[in-house]
Amino acid sequence: MYLNSIFTDPVQQERLWNISQTSWMPLLEGLIQFTIPLSIISFIIGLVLAVLTALARISTIKPLQIIARVYVSIIRGTPLLVQLFILFYGLPALDIVIDPFPAAIVGFSLNVGAYASEVIRASILSIPKGQWEAADTIGMTYAQSLRRVILPQAARVSVPPLSNTFISLVKDTSLASMILVTEMFRIAQQIAATNYEFLLLYTQAALIYWVVCFLLSIGQGRLEHRFDRYVSR
């Protein structure tokens, strides 16, 4: 019935066209003002957490190892949506009130930090032990060995999975709509609530997500090519 009206009813066609035309700009504004900044800020903070967590996991200090393991276990063992709900709707019970956008940043950053830490830890451990020994032989400290020898090589190994993490994060920002962040998907929900064209609006949002992720995939390929210089041939 619905599809039939789309193809046979000129009035319905014009209505859908007008709704589509007027919806693109609000959706793009939501993308630029909230979705992209939320993704970038959360990924940067999460990446810092990931590096610290990965270093704690491979350290010889037991308390640091335990803290890092518990953090990763909790975040990986609970749904992201539940984590966001606890931060935004749960913490006020403890008189801790966080605005929607900062709450989303905290939630996504903690999530990225846990998952990316395993990628970074595995990348560091994949570097041959001889690299550490060679750095130690020429008098490098642990920090210097990490910064100058190990991390540049580990970065090349971790680029593909970390890029995938970022692409997934861009899509996961749609969950921020559940804690009242007016990112792109929430705007699509708001517009659809006024005209009841949910299929049209959600399809438009999906198309924008796909284009953004496609462009990020192209950037991922170029970044991998750039880091090829750190790979031994």
Side-chain angles (χ1 to χ4, degrees):
M1 185 69 175
Y2 181 78
L3 290 177
N4 184 59
S5 66
I6 292 177
F7 292 109
T8 61
D9 188 348
V11 176
Q12 177 70 349
Q13 291 173 358
E14 183 177 359
R15 176 175 177 274
L16 292 177
W17 175 256
N18 290 334
I19 293 174
S20 177
Q21 289 292 96
T22 56
S23 299
W24 285 114
M25 189 54 66
L27 291 175
L28 291 175
E29 287 177 356
L31 175 73
I32 295 172
Q33 293 178 3
F34 290 98
T35 300
I36 292 178
L38 179 58
S39 301
I40 294 175
I41 295 172
S42 299
F43 187 74
I44 292 174
I45 297 175
L47 203 57
V48 173
L49 286 174
V51 172
L52 295 176
T53 303
L55 293 178
R57 289 288 303 275
I58 64 176
S59 72
T60 56
I61 304 175
K62 285 294 182 181
L64 288 180
Q65 289 184 14
I66 294 173
I67 292 173
R69 285 178 179 273
V70 171
Y71 160 57
V72 172
S73 178
I74 291 175
I75 297 299
R76 295 179 66 187
T78 55
L80 174 56
L81 185 58
V82 174
Q83 297 165 17
L84 292 174
F85 270 47
I86 290 174
L87 288 169
F88 187 70
Y89 296 111
L91 290 183
L94 302 177
D95 294 325
I96 302 175
V97 180
I98 309 177
D99 290 334
F101 192 75
I105 289 178
V106 173
F108 289 126
S109 297
L110 290 174
N111 197 267
V112 170
Y115 282 92
S117 69
E118 292 299 282
V119 173
I120 294 175
R121 182 175 70 91
S123 300
I124 292 175
L125 293 178
S126 70
I127 306 303
K129 186 177 294 186
Q131 298 288 322
W132 290 96
E133 296 172 350
D136 183 64
T137 300
I138 61 177
M140 286 189 179
T141 63
Y142 180 79
Q144 289 175 329
S145 299
L146 273 176
R147 181 167 57 87
R148 298 181 182 180
V149 180
I150 304 303
L151 290 182
Q153 297 180 70
R156 172 61 184 85
V157 178
S158 63
V159 163
L162 287 180
S163 298
N164 291 333
T165 299
F166 182 65
I167 292 174
S168 295
L169 175 62
V170 172
K171 295 181 292 183
D172 287 343
T173 55
S174 60
L175 294 176
S177 64
M178 303 300 293
I179 59 171
L180 309 182
V181 177
T182 52
E183 46 72 57
M184 185 177 65
F185 187 67
R186 181 162 182 81
I187 291 176
Q189 291 177 313
Q190 292 173 340
I191 298 174
T194 63
N195 53 44
Y196 299 101
E197 292 296 341
F198 296 97
L199 177 61
L200 174 63
L201 270 299
Y202 293 166
T203 300
Q204 286 183 265
L207 180 60
I208 294 175
Y209 279 120
W210 175 75
V211 171
V212 171
C213 292
F214 177 74
L215 294 176
L216 289 174
S217 298
I218 295 175
Q220 173 184 347
R222 294 184 177 181
L223 191 60
E224 290 179 25
H225 178 72
R226 180 176 181 180
F227 275 94
D228 276 344
R229 57 183 175 175
Y230 294 120
V231 180
S232 301
R233 300 296 183 183

